[in-house]
Amino acid sequence: MGRYRPSHVRRSRLAVVPAVAAALLAALCAGTAPDLAVASARQELDPATVRKLDAAITKIMDEADIPGLNVGLWIPRRGTYEKSFGVADKQNGTPMKSDLYTRIGSITKTFTITGLLQLVDAGEIALDDPISRYVAGVPGGDVITLRQLAGMRSGLFNYTEDKAWLAQLRADPHREYPPRRLLDIAFSHRPNFAPGTKWQYSNTNTVLLGMVIEKVSGRSLGDYLEEHIFTPLKLNDTSLPDDSAIPDPHAHGYTDFTPSGDVADATNWNPSWAWAAGGVISDLDDLHAWAPALADGRLLTKETQAERLKTRSVGVPGASYGLGILDFSGWLGHNGELPGYESIAAQLPAEDASLVVLVNTDIDYEGKSLSSLIGNAVTSIVTPDHVWPVPPAQPSPTPSTPSNGGGPGAAAAR
């Protein structure tokens, strides 16, 4: 377990958080005396809890062969646990650090749907508008509403479950996929059910909503999110790029989503296929700021946030889904996954707690997602009345294809 000792990281960028939590942002120092300059500005969780968390995380990392991860848990009345484990680059052994950029997968959906809901507040769209008003060629588009798309109840086929496309992506992960091409893949399949009658996770839904934002705002989705979400919250290290580049310094991401099943470095693979559903880049600080903002709806009106939080069961105990937001046992947020990376960003309003988990591999352990295993271990120790669940094992996992071989809990987790 020695190779996974957490590294000491000084915060280089201050996240925007409620004032009551600002003093908790200093990094933890593992195994050495604390830096006197920051010791008075933070309150760590009690030593016994820290030891339990260290042991649980390093055990999972050893068993699942996780290269590296960042984890942060902030509870104003109890303390902070913020550590980096393992390596960011297996080739040269660069240690993981909390200020590294990373791809966050489907946490992107929380940003995209927030942008959509801002347009609702501005009176430019309505949740019960049909998608056909904004995007042509959608099967059943006259009766599928923006609300159903945001809540994963449209019935539209998830393009990331198309087997021919998956083989194509494995063979050429650097290929560019415009949003309309993704819709063509989805619409070559019949809808799975009538709109509003069931819940099923589908990246197609969020791609459509990204196109709605662009049509109504007249801006690219990346520029819209920058102006209306990232900048107002001072999420200075969060972006939706229009290419495959990831800023420096960053964590390398490792995946076995290859034709041979061999492990590859997916850091610079083109994420255009994920776009509005999974293309955002961020870091630990920014996600720490985003989790409470998402949960309390500070960028939305109270009425619209209330609509967002009308979650409905996804068929797994303790799990429900609202408008681009997941409720797992009281934790409000989302998981993310795409080749090389997994993530969690969530807020527990009952304890004003924030949780962020960033893992630099998506290679499941015994069919289970790594971020969920870490999230489950952390919450089982610190918030046992609100435990982040581990979705059912998936026999044949694929990137951002949560319903492929998994139940609704697995779907919500990606």
Side-chain angles (χ1 to χ4, degrees):
M1 291 192 294
R3 61 191 176 113
Y4 294 126
R5 293 190 185 279
S7 58
H8 177 199
V9 180
R10 293 288 297 274
R11 308 306 300 166
S12 59
R13 298 184 296 273
L14 187 64
V16 178
V17 295
V20 69
L24 302 178
L25 287 174
L28 293 176
C29 178
T32 61
D35 186 334
L36 294 179
V38 298
S40 62
R42 71 175 185 228
Q43 174 190 348
E44 298 180 3
L45 291 173
D46 65 274
T49 300
V50 170
R51 287 193 295 270
K52 289 179 182 178
L53 290 169
D54 288 350
I57 291 170
T58 53
K59 181 175 185 292
I60 293 171
M61 293 188 74
D62 279 334
E63 291 176 347
D65 197 24
I66 298 174
L69 66 83
N70 285 319
V71 58
L73 180 70
W74 301 268
I75 310 179
R77 291 176 298 278
R78 296 173 59 186
T80 293
Y81 180 84
E82 184 179 344
K83 292 192 177 183
S84 299
F85 295 79
V87 298
D89 185 340
K90 295 198 298 184
Q91 184 172 0
N92 59 26
T94 302
M96 184 68 79
K97 295 182 180 180
S98 63
D99 63 351
L100 300 183
Y101 291 95
T102 187
R103 300 191 189 278
I104 63 171
S106 286
I107 295 175
T108 300
K109 293 177 173 68
T110 63
F111 291 109
T112 299
I113 304 306
T114 298
L116 183 88
L117 295 176
Q118 289 176 323
L119 292 175
V120 171
D121 281 339
E124 300 199 41
I125 63 174
L127 279 172
D128 294 316
D129 286 346
I131 185 60
S132 61
R133 185 172 300 177
Y134 307 100
V135 181
V138 181
D142 290 340
V143 294
I144 295 174
T145 67
L146 304 185
R147 184 191 303 273
Q148 290 166 341
L149 292 165
M152 300 294 177
R153 302 182 68 85
S154 73
L156 293 172
F157 182 84
N158 184 1
Y159 66 87
T160 55
E161 293 183 38
D162 182 282
K163 293 181 179 179
W165 176 81
L166 285 170
Q168 184 181 82
L169 183 63
R170 280 190 179 93
D172 183 9
H174 298 283
R175 180 171 175 173
E176 181 82 16
Y177 286 96
R180 193 77 224 190
R181 173 58 183 146
L182 303 175
L183 296 186
D184 290 342
I185 296 167
F187 300 161
S188 68
H189 298 264
R190 294 171 58 88
N192 293 321
F193 50 84
T197 60
K198 296 180 181 180
W199 183 90
Q200 187 177 58
Y201 195 87
S202 175
N203 292 302
T204 305
N205 296 328
T206 321
V207 167
L208 280 166
L209 295 179
M211 295 174 72
V212 171
I213 292 172
E214 291 197 332
K215 181 177 180 64
V216 174
S217 70
R219 307 285 302 280
S220 73
L221 179 60
D223 286 347
Y224 181 89
L225 297 179
E226 176 72 27
E227 179 179 349
H228 293 275
I229 300 177
F230 305 154
T231 297
L233 293 176
K234 295 183 172 60
L235 306 182
N236 299 323
D237 300 307
T238 302
S239 64
L240 178 61
D242 57 7
D243 57 24
S244 60
I246 182 169
D248 289 323
H250 58 258
H252 286 249
Y254 300 94
T255 187
D256 60 357
F257 185 71
T258 58
S260 65
D262 293 337
V263 176
D265 186 331
T267 307
N268 294 310
W269 287 8
N270 194 324
S272 61
W273 61 270
W275 190 50
V280 165
I281 292 169
S282 191
D283 70 358
L284 189 74
D285 269 353
D286 276 10
L287 292 178
H288 174 202
W290 174 237
L294 171 66
D296 67 28
R298 68 190 64 172
L299 295 180
L300 304 174
T301 64
K302 291 182 179 180
E303 294 77 13
T304 299
Q305 179 70 357
E307 291 298 309
R308 167 171 236 171
L309 295 181
K310 290 180 179 177
T311 61
R312 303 174 69 173
S313 173
V314 300
V316 171
S320 59
Y321 204 85
L323 302 182
I325 194 167
L326 169 72
D327 184 334
F328 258 1
S329 304
W331 287 96
L332 299 176
H334 219 286
N335 281 27
E337 180 176 342
L338 77 170
Y341 301 91
E342 293 190 14
S343 55
I344 295 172
Q347 181 78 1
L348 180 63
E351 296 197 30
D352 196 21
S354 303
L355 172 67
V356 177
V357 177
L358 300 171
V359 183
N360 66 340
T361 179
D362 69 318
I363 303 173
D364 288 353
Y365 175 63
E366 296 182 346
K368 297 177 181 178
S369 99
L370 304 176
S371 61
S372 291
L373 288 171
I374 298 295
N376 177 267
V378 170
T379 56
S380 295
I381 292 168
V382 183
T383 59
D385 293 332
H386 302 276
V387 175
W388 189 275
V390 178
Q394 298 188 81
S396 181
T398 53
S400 288
T401 54
S403 60
N404 183 24
R414 302 207 183 186

